Amino acid sequence: MKKLTLTLFLTLICSVGFAQKSNIFRIDSLPTKGVLLDKGWKFHEGDNPDFAKADYDDSDWESIDPARTIHHLPQIRKENIGWFRLKIHIDSSLLNKSLGFIIYQSIASEIYLDGKLLKQFGVVSSNKEEIKAILPLNDPLGFQFGKPDQVLAVRFSVQPDLAYFTNSIPLTTFRIGINDVLGIGQFNRIEPDLPILHGVYIGIFIVLTIIHFGFFLFYKKQKSNLFFSLATFLAALANIMHMEFNMSHDVSFKSHVSIITHIFYPILFNLFLLIAVYLLFSKLRKTYFWLLVAYSIASIFIYQRDWLFGTLVPFLLVTIEAIRVGYQAYHQKFHDAGIIVFGFSSYLVFFILFKLISNGVIANEDIGLGDNFQLEALLYHIYVNWLPLVLSIYFFRNFAFTSGILEKKLVEVQQLSEENHQILANQNETLERQVGERTAELRASQVQLIQKEKLASLGELTAGIAHEIQNPLNFVNNFSEVSTELVAEMKEELAVGNQQSANEIADDLKQNLEKITLHGKRASSIVKGMLEHSKASSGEKELTDINALADEYLRLAYHGLRAKDKDFNSDFKTDFDPNLPKIAVIPQDIGRVLLNLINNAFWAVKNVDKPMVVVKTEQSDNQIIIKVIDNGSGMTDEVKAKIFQPFFTTKPTGQGTGLGLSLAYDIVTKGHGGTIECESVEGVGTEFVVKIPIV
């Protein structure tokens, strides 16, 4: 018995040693799923046509597993071209039967069997710029074994400067399997349902995007809907690109798409969901939050060099932070916050299980949902779609909850409305009565303010009139005294019989009396003008000499200001059109307009070195034009826009009511159908232009 055991042990050692030494891959039969050629491969860098021949000695070549990712095989990237070789021994039962290779690769390759080129996938070249890596999806390579011992040789090139990933989307360097015609599709084939599944996911995510973005548009204060719609939109884009990734032959395209997909999902997808959770529960975004945001963005660039810190760590940190925020909200009695905690927690569990299976820690079992649809695929489809669906359920429940509260509030409001209806009806009567009283008070105040403005202008006129009337009165007094003396002289001459001298004195006396009459009429005219200005306007228009009216009010305004301020002094002049016709106006009202404009002009030139005010008249296009021009300080555009508004004034408090220009505007535009305009340049001067139509 001991001899038999020793013999069997020695035989096993010899057979194993022979198999290892020979490096021959033996195929005795073809199971249903075929045979994966995953052992016995040799590698050599460089290029030589003899490498394809069956009798070439490759005993000094390096052993290699070409099915590993390119990152795990740095030696194959040293040269532009390299070779793989595998010796195969086929059972006689498989000879001369129609078989096929199915190949999965991320390189460019040429497949040789015993020195004969079977197929070229992509472009193998010594020139780096010409290399083109191709993945032959669902493209079996048919052949027959004509003899038991064969050599499979692969001439290949690695396309430079591609982002070959190791963990998130592993790109196998070169993997090949054998099966018969019926089972040739068992290796790495694309499931026919996969595009349909991605299409369903895309549709779901787009619908969620539209719904939640619509919620945001209707209620923009709830910004969590905006970020959730951004997350689902990125998920839809990621699924679109992932579908293209699975269906594409171009390795370069797959490489770049995988980068973009990673940025969209999970990095930005998770980040937007975290922001949505913060906004949902009104969580203060402190330093830790912003560090997470910064790290998530930085992980986009770290990802290509280090999958652990570029993908896994930010994913875990963001997801755990969302769970923490949700848990705090749950304890703070936020409605349905437990759904958020459950959603992110289960999302994290599904992701961890998926990664454990994809990295071989847990066996990937067939779960009976179709060919090649195993536990790994199921977990992938669950974790990718789980969180958006769970969060949508939360948002919908929250919307329904809010709608219920609003409905209750609406009922309460209706009840309050009915209760307050009678109160409001009673208050309306009180308010109407109070409004009537206040309106009457306001009208009375308005009349008083207007009267005050008129009295203010009357006061200014009175000062000017006092000065103006003093001159003719002085003349009357002086000529009266002289005339008295002349009468005495004339009596003396008549007493002595000097008739000629008496006649000469009588002529002088006559001239004096004429001057007394002239200045008396002047004083009478001034008094009449004062009375016309002070009395209430009759509203009846009279033919009026605008030149005379303007001249009168220019002098009265100047002397009125001089009476109030002895230090005030200014030059003024007139430039009247001598052919100006009389027009029908209300003289008292136009006088108030002129007085207000001229007073403002004199006020504006108070601090000017050489002050000048000009009053000008002219006729144009069947209308009389009156211009009041000063070289004062001017106005800003802001002030000019407000000058005709009631109660607006630039004068110090107590020196102006702010009604002068407002009343002038109403008199010209409403009372006489004319216009009043203002042109002013700050620091240069102002010009008011009054236009009154000739009726």
Side-chain angles (χ1 to χ4, degrees):
M1 185 65 181
K2 291 182 179 180
K3 290 182 179 180
L4 178 59
T5 302
L6 181 60
T7 302
L8 291 174
F9 179 72
L10 292 174
T11 302
L12 178 61
I13 291 176
C14 291
S15 63
V16 172
F18 176 77
Q20 291 177 346
K21 183 178 180 180
S22 63
N23 289 319
I24 297 175
F25 194 97
R26 296 181 178 276
I27 303 176
D28 297 326
S29 61
L30 287 177
T32 303
K33 293 187 178 181
V35 175
L36 182 64
L37 306 182
D38 57 352
K39 295 180 178 63
W41 286 92
K42 292 294 192 73
F43 160 73
H44 195 281
E45 61 187 21
D47 193 19
N48 188 337
D50 292 340
F51 292 171
K53 296 178 180 180
D55 57 355
Y56 184 82
D57 183 13
D58 59 8
S59 59
D60 60 342
W61 283 26
E62 177 186 348
S63 295
I64 196 170
D65 178 7
R68 302 186 71 190
T69 62
I70 291 179
H71 271 293
H72 289 102
L73 301 174
Q75 65 270 39
I76 72 171
R77 305 184 70 170
K78 293 180 180 179
E79 299 289 338
N80 292 348
I81 297 179
W83 285 79
F84 297 133
R85 281 172 58 92
L86 177 65
K87 295 177 181 179
I88 304 173
H89 178 78
I90 308 297
D91 187 80
S92 58
S93 62
L94 300 176
L95 296 178
N96 300 316
K97 286 189 175 182
S98 295
L99 304 176
F101 289 125
I102 187 73
I103 299 168
Y104 186 90
Q105 65 177 30
S106 57
I107 57 177
S109 67
E110 296 173 356
I111 313 299
Y112 294 86
L113 189 62
D114 275 356
K116 179 182 177 181
L117 177 63
L118 296 181
K119 186 76 173 181
Q120 178 176 334
F121 296 104
V123 178
V124 180
S125 175
S126 58
N127 186 347
K128 290 184 178 181
E129 296 181 357
E130 295 178 354
I131 300 172
K132 182 68 175 178
I134 291 294
L135 174 60
L137 292 173
N138 295 332
D139 189 8
L141 176 57
F143 71 98
Q144 289 184 343
F145 284 119
K147 57 182 181 178
D149 294 312
Q150 303 276 317
V151 173
L152 180 64
V154 181
R155 180 174 179 256
F156 70 89
S157 293
V158 178
Q159 186 171 339
D161 303 324
L162 293 187
Y164 293 100
F165 299 105
T166 58
N167 287 297
S168 62
I169 304 178
L171 295 177
T172 298
T173 304
F174 182 83
R175 184 169 60 203
I176 186 169
I178 299 175
N179 209 340
D180 56 24
V181 175
L182 295 177
I184 195 65
Q186 295 298 322
F187 293 103
N188 303 308
R189 67 183 179 89
I190 299 298
E191 287 293 321
D193 294 336
L194 191 57
I196 298 175
L197 284 174
H198 281 293
V200 171
Y201 300 156
I202 292 167
I204 292 173
F205 289 138
I206 289 177
V207 168
L208 292 177
T209 299
I210 294 172
I211 291 174
H212 290 282
F213 188 69
F215 283 164
F216 168 72
L217 291 179
F218 281 113
Y219 187 57
K220 292 186 178 180
K221 288 185 178 180
Q222 186 65 282
K223 292 184 179 179
S224 57
N225 278 309
L226 172 62
F227 283 95
F228 185 72
S229 66
L230 289 174
T232 53
F233 179 68
L234 290 179
L237 291 180
N239 272 276
I240 291 171
M241 288 186 285
H242 195 65
M243 186 163 59
E244 292 297 321
F245 177 91
N246 286 328
M247 302 304 295
S248 175
H249 292 264
D250 190 337
V251 175
S252 176
F253 173 78
K254 294 169 77 71
S255 174
H256 290 94
V257 164
S258 63
I259 296 175
I260 300 173
T261 304
H262 173 76
I263 294 173
F264 288 171
Y265 195 105
I267 294 179
L268 293 181
F269 173 80
N270 282 13
L271 184 59
F272 286 156
L273 288 182
L274 177 63
I275 296 173
V277 171
Y278 262 80
L279 293 171
L280 191 63
F281 299 124
S282 302
K283 182 73 174 178
L284 292 176
R285 283 163 281 184
K286 298 182 179 179
T287 304
Y288 178 68
F289 169 82
W290 294 113
L291 288 174
L292 272 181
V293 172
Y295 183 33
S296 296
I297 295 173
S299 68
I300 296 172
F301 307 98
I302 301 172
Y303 163 65
Q304 297 185 49
R305 296 186 178 89
D306 191 327
W307 179 84
L308 177 64
F309 290 99
T311 298
L312 184 59
V313 173
F315 173 87
L316 293 175
L317 290 176
V318 169
T319 307
I320 293 171
E321 174 63 6
I323 295 172
R324 185 187 70 83
V325 173
Y327 186 74
Q328 286 184 346
Y330 175 77
H331 277 278
Q332 293 170 359
K333 306 301 181 182
F334 275 88
H335 181 71
D336 279 344
I339 295 177
I340 300 296
V341 178
F342 169 74
F344 275 96
S345 299
S346 51
Y347 172 64
L348 182 61
V349 171
F350 290 140
F351 175 78
I352 292 173
L353 289 175
F354 169 73
K355 284 301 175 184
L356 290 175
I357 293 174
S358 63
N359 286 280
V361 179
I362 299 177
N364 188 18
E365 300 293 341
D366 192 339
I367 57 176
L369 295 179
D371 294 337
N372 288 344
F373 199 88
Q374 297 176 308
L375 182 59
E376 179 183 5
L378 176 63
L379 287 171
Y380 169 78
H381 291 293
I382 290 176
Y383 104 81
V384 166
N385 299 281
W386 178 258
L387 197 53
L389 294 176
V390 172
L391 291 183
S392 292
I393 292 172
Y394 171 82
F395 279 109
F396 293 147
R397 283 179 58 86
N398 190 55
F399 180 77
F401 177 74
T402 304
S403 298
I405 292 177
L406 290 176
E407 187 174 349
K408 291 180 180 178
K409 293 294 183 183
L410 181 60
V411 172
E412 293 176 1
V413 168
Q414 289 175 342
Q415 292 175 348
L416 289 173
S417 177
E418 292 174 359
E419 293 173 0
N420 292 332
H421 180 72
Q422 187 60 41
I423 297 174
L424 290 174
N426 296 333
Q427 288 182 344
N428 280 339
E429 296 179 3
T430 305
L431 287 174
E432 288 176 2
R433 178 173 50 80
Q434 291 177 347
V435 166
E437 294 173 355
R438 295 291 174 85
T439 302
E441 292 175 1
L442 288 174
R443 287 175 180 172
S445 299
Q446 184 180 21
V447 171
Q448 291 175 0
L449 285 172
I450 293 173
Q451 187 63 27
K452 181 180 178 181
E453 177 65 24
K454 291 180 179 179
L455 290 174
S457 63
L458 178 61
E460 293 173 352
L461 270 180
T462 302
I465 288 169
H467 182 276
E468 283 289 293
I469 206 171
Q470 187 65 42
N471 288 333
L473 288 177
N474 288 338
F475 277 111
V476 169
N477 292 333
N478 291 335
F479 283 119
S480 296
E481 292 176 1
V482 171
S483 296
T484 301
E485 294 175 357
L486 288 175
V487 170
E489 291 179 5
M490 186 175 67
K491 286 181 178 181
E492 291 176 359
E493 293 295 332
L494 288 173
V496 297
N498 192 351
Q499 186 68 33
Q500 183 178 357
S501 296
N503 289 335
E504 290 176 356
I505 292 171
D507 291 337
D508 291 339
L509 184 60
K510 180 182 178 181
Q511 291 177 2
N512 287 350
L513 292 174
E514 289 175 351
K515 290 180 180 179
I516 289 171
T517 301
L518 175 66
H519 289 288
K521 290 181 178 179
R522 170 65 181 154
S524 177
S525 174
I526 293 170
V527 172
K528 181 182 178 181
M530 181 185 70
L531 293 173
E532 287 180 350
H533 183 83
S534 62
K535 73 179 181 179
S537 174
S538 65
E540 295 181 1
K541 295 182 179 180
E542 304 173 8
L543 287 177
T544 304
D545 184 347
I546 296 298
N547 285 344
L549 193 67
D551 181 68
E552 186 79 17
Y553 278 93
L554 173 61
R555 288 183 291 103
L556 291 176
Y558 176 74
H559 290 304
L561 288 174
R562 287 273 298 163
K564 290 195 296 184
D565 184 2
K566 299 297 183 182
D567 295 330
F568 173 73
N569 193 20
S570 173
D571 288 335
F572 60 88
K573 66 179 181 178
T574 59
D575 183 7
F576 295 149
D577 182 352
N579 299 318
L580 203 68
K582 291 184 177 182
I583 61 171
V585 296
I586 303 173
Q588 299 96 326
D589 289 350
I590 296 299
R592 290 189 183 100
V593 172
L594 291 171
L595 183 64
N596 192 278
L597 295 180
I598 295 169
N599 277 339
N600 286 346
F602 280 127
W603 179 273
V605 299
K606 272 189 172 183
N607 299 318
V608 178
D609 291 338
K610 295 180 179 180
M612 172 63 73
V613 174
V614 179
V615 179
K616 182 178 181 181
T617 63
E618 59 187 49
Q619 180 182 356
S620 176
D621 297 332
N622 201 33
Q623 60 184 357
I624 298 295
I625 300 175
I626 308 169
K627 296 182 179 179
V628 179
I629 307 166
D630 67 70
N631 64 343
S633 56
M635 292 179 281
T636 64
D637 291 339
E638 184 179 0
V639 171
K640 190 168 64 176
K642 299 178 181 178
I643 56 174
F644 294 117
Q645 295 178 6
F647 307 108
F648 177 79
T649 180
T650 57
K651 294 178 182 179
T653 303
Q655 297 189 30
T657 63
L659 285 172
L661 286 177
S662 174
L663 291 174
Y665 183 85
D666 288 343
I667 290 170
V668 173
T669 58
K670 297 178 181 179
H672 293 81
T675 62
I676 180 169
E677 300 172 352
C678 175
E679 292 294 332
S680 183
V681 178
E682 193 173 5
V684 176
T686 302
E687 177 179 332
F688 280 91
V689 180
V690 177
K691 297 180 181 179
I692 303 174
I694 300 175
V695 181

